[in-house]
Amino acid sequence: MAIPQRYVFAFHTAANALNLFEMDQNKLKSREKEQPKQENRGFFSRLLKRLLGGGTK
């Protein structure tokens, strides 16, 4: 059965907006432990850091 991708995406988006998905807490905790903390390197985070007086290069 081939379901068009746009229908799958529309269903997923609507279900997510209505909070119909439930996260598995065990997988969520293990995922947080596996990923090392990454420093924000985006334009706005750097701008905010400079405006708040921390970190001048």
Side-chain angles (χ1 to χ4, degrees):
M1 181 174 194
I3 301 173
Q5 183 179 3
R6 65 178 181 265
Y7 295 143
V8 175
F9 182 74
F11 172 79
H12 182 270
T13 303
N16 194 28
L18 295 172
N19 292 325
L20 297 178
F21 292 126
E22 189 172 308
M23 295 294 289
D24 185 356
Q25 296 300 321
N26 294 331
K27 290 183 181 178
L28 183 63
K29 290 178 184 176
S30 66
R31 187 182 303 168
E32 289 175 356
K33 290 178 186 176
E34 290 174 5
Q35 295 177 348
K37 186 177 179 183
Q38 296 178 350
E39 185 178 337
N40 291 335
R41 291 179 274 172
F43 172 74
F44 288 110
S45 63
R46 290 192 319 262
L47 179 62
L48 180 61
K49 189 175 182 179
R50 287 193 180 196
L51 288 174
L52 293 176
T56 55
K57 290 184 180 179

